[in-house]
């Protein structure tokens, strides 16, 4: 929108991959029947006391180290007071004044109008807290066998007390594309670290977007609206873009933006009001009297540091330095740990890693990623193994098949779920896909093409370059696409200019 600047900050709720809840021993497994995983602590029964889950704390420290944040040696849990129908306590145990993770940053890369763009997003904090339960309304009740309860709502407290790490950014993003790039980068990082399964459909990774607009050049922020519980990158982008348009049109029509919490309706592609937006003082925070201060000593930090994998940033630098990949390729390939592992295993199976790494990157980011997306598969479930892909790349390099033929071979391995390490060779042989590279045979075919297309030959010699492409096409057709394209080009040019 010309004349306006968009300001976006994100709050992301990451469900931590612990087996038990943050303050009780109840299971966090997804999909259990309602209210079968709610302990007396989760139900807030009289006389119970919360006990901190050490594994949740280690997850928070892991994230803090990965983003270069300050790990607070002493942090405090607070009660955040507000009514929520599926929160039995009437308050949420969270962290307010002293979060366990403070500061940090996350680099992002996205595809802009003028090519790849890079930026570093600064984090404000990341704090530990418990999740609420879940309200089940009429349709959901029916699916759970509650037909007799039609028109009513139920409360499932299985999720109450599930450990969350809320990660808050500075308001530094200026477009929906930047916001999505950050969310994807964070999603990749928390799954890379193993602190979250990243399942957005199950609510393990939920984003709240704070969106405001201001005239270009204005220093003060505009009034922000929070869009809650975005669990899809596509919906997140659409929700932000709608909200930006809504706010600008409202202001330009003489209205004013009201600070509020909104929900995104994907069916109507619009945001709608949910409730007025509370500020910190409305929650009446005070230290939780049942929980002592959370102490993180140097020994715990070093133990967590020693257990961490190579981080995406370090791997990106290595791929750029050792394999000559571009920053954009390196960022894309390290979007998830699984993709990075697949790429590295593919490159490890190639005879000339340095010169063939770019080809491997193109295959992983291109044909392989596209096919996985079409079939809604993760790369962990890819039917084509790194060894099979590496052999196919070798057959392109040694001239056995052309790039076009290689795609046919790749598709066959993928569709047929071939398990043989040498599947590419078997398919090439069975389908007769070997490229014709014999100079004598190609020389004869090119002569026949020139003789049969005298008009195109004349046009080329008169300066019409398109005529050359026509001759190449005729030669490839005569060989049913099996000729080595480069050899055909070289032979034609030599014969036409001699």
């Amino acid at each position: 929108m010309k004349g306006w600047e968009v300001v976006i900050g994100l709050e992301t709720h990451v469900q931590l991959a612990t087996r038990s809840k943050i303050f009780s021993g109840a299971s966090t497994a997804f999909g259990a029947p309602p209210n079968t995983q709610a302990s007396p602590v989760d139900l807030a029964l009289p006389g119970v006391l919360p006990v901190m889950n050490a594994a949740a704390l280690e997850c928070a420290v892991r994230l803090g180290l990965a983003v270069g944040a300050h790990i607070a040696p002493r942090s405090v849990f607070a009660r955040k007071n507000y009514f929520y129908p599926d929160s039995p306590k009437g308050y949420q145990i969270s962290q307010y004044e002293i979060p366990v993770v403070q500061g940090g940053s996350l680099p992002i890369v996205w595809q802009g109008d003028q090519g790849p763009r890079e930026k570093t997003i600064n984090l404000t904090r990341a704090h530990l807290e418990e999740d609420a339960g879940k309200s089940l309304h009429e349709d959901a009740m029916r699916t759970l066998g509650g037909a007799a309860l039609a028109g009513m709502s139920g409360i499932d407290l299985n999720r109450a007390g599930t450990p969350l790490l809320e990660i808050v950014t500075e308001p530094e993003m200026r477009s929906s594309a930047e916001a999505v790039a950050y969310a994807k980068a964070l999603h990749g990082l928390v799954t890379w670290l193993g602190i979250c399964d990243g399942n957005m459909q199950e609510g393990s990774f939920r984003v709240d977007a704070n969106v405001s607009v201001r005239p270009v050049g204005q220093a003060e922020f505009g009034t922000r609206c929070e869009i809650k519980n975005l669990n899809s990158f596509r919906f997140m982008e659409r929700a932000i873009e709608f909200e930006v348009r809504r706010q600008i049109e409202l202001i330009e029509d003489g209205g004013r933006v009201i600070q509020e919490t909104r929900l995104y309706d994907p069916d109507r592609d619009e945001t709608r009001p949910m409730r007025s937006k509370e500020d910190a003082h409305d929650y009446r925070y005070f230290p939780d009297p049942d929980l002592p201060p959370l102490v993180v000593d140097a020994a715990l930090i070093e133990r967590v540091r020693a257990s961490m994998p190579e981080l995406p940033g370090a791997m990106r630098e290595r791929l750029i330095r050792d394999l000559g990949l571009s920053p954009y390729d390196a960022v894309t390939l390290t979007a998830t740990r699984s993709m990075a592992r697949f790429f590295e295993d593919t490159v490890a199976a190639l005879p000339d890693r340095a010169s063939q790494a770019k080809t491997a990157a193109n295959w992983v980011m291109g044909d392989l990623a596209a096919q996985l997306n079409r079939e809604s598969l993760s790369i962990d479930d890819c039917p084509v193994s790194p060894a099979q892909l590496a052999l196919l790349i070798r057959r392109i390099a040694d001239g056995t098949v052309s790039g076009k033929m290689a795609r046919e071979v790749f598709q066959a391995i993928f569709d047929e779920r071939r398990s043989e390490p040498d599947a590419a060779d078997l398919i090439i042989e069975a389908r007769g896909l070997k490229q014709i590279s014999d100079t004598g045979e190609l020389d004869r075919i090119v002569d026949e093409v020139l003789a049969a297309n005298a008009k195109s030959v004349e046009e080329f010699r008169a300066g019409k370059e398109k005529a050359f492409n026509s001759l190449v096409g005729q030669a490839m057709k005569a060989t049913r696409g099996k000729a080595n394209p480069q050899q055909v080009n070289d032979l034609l040019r030599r014969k036409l200019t001699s």
Side-chain angles (χ1 to χ4, degrees):
M1 296 285 187
K2 192 173 182 181
W4 293 91
E5 182 177 50
V6 180
V7 178
I8 303 168
L10 299 184
E11 301 171 10
T12 306
H13 292 86
V14 171
Q15 182 175 313
L16 299 178
T18 61
R19 286 180 292 180
S20 57
K21 297 183 180 180
I22 189 167
F23 299 122
S24 79
S27 172
T28 58
F30 181 83
N35 298 309
T36 58
Q37 295 178 174
S39 76
V41 173
D42 308 322
L43 296 172
L45 298 182
V48 298
L49 291 173
V51 178
M52 178 63 198
N53 184 337
L57 172 59
E58 292 188 8
C59 287
V61 173
R62 206 170 175 89
L63 185 279
L65 293 174
V67 297
H70 170 67
I71 309 297
R74 181 182 181 276
S75 59
V76 177
F77 282 106
R79 290 187 179 182
K80 181 180 181 181
N81 295 276
Y82 64 101
F83 173 75
Y84 211 62
D86 39 24
S87 181
K89 294 186 181 76
Y91 62 84
Q92 177 191 39
I93 300 178
S94 184
Q95 292 186 312
Y96 175 49
E97 292 183 325
I98 310 176
V100 65
V101 176
Q102 302 167 10
S105 62
L106 187 64
I108 64 171
V109 174
W110 73 100
Q111 194 68 33
D113 294 338
Q114 307 299 319
R117 301 280 303 279
E118 299 180 43
K119 186 174 183 176
T120 296
I121 303 299
N122 290 301
L123 307 182
T124 307
R125 58 190 281 149
H127 59 265
L128 289 161
E129 62 183 23
E130 61 182 346
D131 206 349
K134 185 177 182 181
S135 297
L136 300 174
H137 303 295
E138 182 177 334
D139 290 343
M141 296 286 281
R142 263 198 220 99
T143 63
L144 291 171
L149 299 176
M152 301 179 67
S153 292
I155 302 295
D156 179 10
L157 295 174
N158 282 347
R159 199 172 67 183
T162 296
L164 300 177
L165 188 63
E166 181 174 346
I167 304 162
V168 183
T169 75
E170 293 292 309
E172 296 178 341
M173 285 155 275
R174 297 293 179 262
S175 70
S176 60
E178 284 185 42
V180 170
Y182 164 81
K184 287 182 176 179
L186 182 61
H187 183 272
L189 179 62
V190 297
T191 54
W192 187 292
L193 295 171
I195 66 173
C196 176
D197 64 21
N199 192 318
M200 299 180 78
Q201 289 72 33
E202 295 178 1
S204 298
F205 188 92
R206 312 191 297 270
V207 182
D208 301 338
N210 288 287
V211 180
S212 65
V213 298
R214 62 184 176 186
V216 172
Q218 177 177 299
E220 298 81 15
F221 291 134
T223 301
R224 75 184 188 277
C225 290
E226 182 183 38
I227 312 171
K228 290 288 289 184
N229 293 333
L230 299 165
N231 62 357
S232 152
F233 297 128
R234 184 167 62 91
F235 290 165
M236 177 182 166
E237 183 173 32
R238 287 166 54 183
I240 291 172
E241 290 179 351
F242 174 86
E243 183 60 20
V244 168
R245 291 194 304 271
R246 185 190 74 85
Q247 292 186 22
I248 291 174
E249 290 171 2
L250 181 61
I251 297 169
E252 289 183 339
D253 288 342
R256 64 185 184 89
V257 177
I258 299 172
Q259 183 175 325
E260 61 185 358
T261 299
R262 301 177 69 87
L263 289 176
Y264 175 67
D265 183 339
D267 294 327
R268 297 187 176 184
D269 190 24
E270 64 181 19
T271 64
R272 51 185 171 80
M274 177 184 177
R275 62 173 183 262
S276 62
K277 174 62 178 172
E278 301 89 348
D279 287 312
H281 63 267
D282 295 315
Y283 292 120
R284 305 186 316 280
Y285 284 98
F286 64 86
D288 191 301
D290 293 335
L291 284 163
L294 190 61
V295 176
V296 182
D297 59 23
L300 186 150
I301 292 175
E302 290 311 310
R303 185 172 74 251
V304 173
R305 193 193 307 276
S307 70
M308 290 176 66
E310 180 185 24
L311 295 175
M315 181 176 285
R316 284 194 288 268
E317 292 177 5
R318 179 167 58 78
L319 296 180
I320 293 168
R321 181 186 64 246
D322 296 349
L323 298 179
L325 296 184
S326 70
Y328 182 80
D329 287 352
V331 168
T332 303
L333 290 166
T334 54
T336 67
R337 198 171 176 186
S338 296
M339 178 177 278
R341 188 183 301 117
F342 190 102
F343 169 72
E344 292 220 291
D345 288 348
T346 301
V347 172
L350 294 171
D352 190 349
R353 297 175 68 244
S355 68
Q356 295 178 313
K358 174 59 178 172
T359 303
N362 290 344
W363 273 95
V364 173
M365 296 186 299
D367 293 77
L368 186 141
Q371 190 63 35
L372 291 174
N373 186 56
R374 278 192 290 271
E375 299 205 11
S376 300
L377 292 173
S378 75
I379 199 163
D380 291 321
D381 300 319
C382 182
V384 180
S385 71
Q388 290 173 326
L389 180 59
L391 179 60
L392 184 56
I393 292 170
R394 286 164 56 192
R395 292 298 170 256
I396 299 170
D398 65 20
T400 301
V401 292
S402 65
K404 183 179 179 181
M405 293 173 179
R407 286 184 175 84
E408 181 181 338
V409 176
F410 173 83
Q411 195 66 49
I413 299 173
F414 197 105
D415 292 343
E416 297 171 15
R417 301 317 199 242
R418 300 289 289 262
S419 61
E420 307 95 331
D422 60 344
D425 283 346
L426 295 174
I427 292 168
I428 291 168
E429 188 65 36
R431 298 193 179 190
L433 294 175
K434 277 189 178 178
Q435 193 168 231
I436 300 173
S437 298
D438 178 79
T439 305
E441 186 176 357
L442 285 179
D443 195 75
R444 176 185 59 77
I445 292 170
V446 167
D447 283 342
E448 291 176 356
V449 167
L450 292 175
N453 295 272
K455 184 179 178 182
S456 294
V457 171
E458 185 180 336
E459 288 176 349
F460 172 76
R461 286 174 173 161
K464 293 183 179 180
E465 188 64 28
K466 286 184 178 179
F468 182 80
N469 296 333
S470 174
L471 291 167
V472 171
Q474 290 297 321
M476 296 303 295
K477 183 179 179 181
T479 61
R480 290 179 295 173
K482 294 182 181 180
N484 184 313
Q486 189 58 52
Q487 282 185 277
V488 169
N489 272 263
D490 293 343
L491 272 171
L492 276 170
R493 287 203 181 274
R494 180 162 53 82
K495 289 178 178 289
L496 288 167
T497 55
S498 61

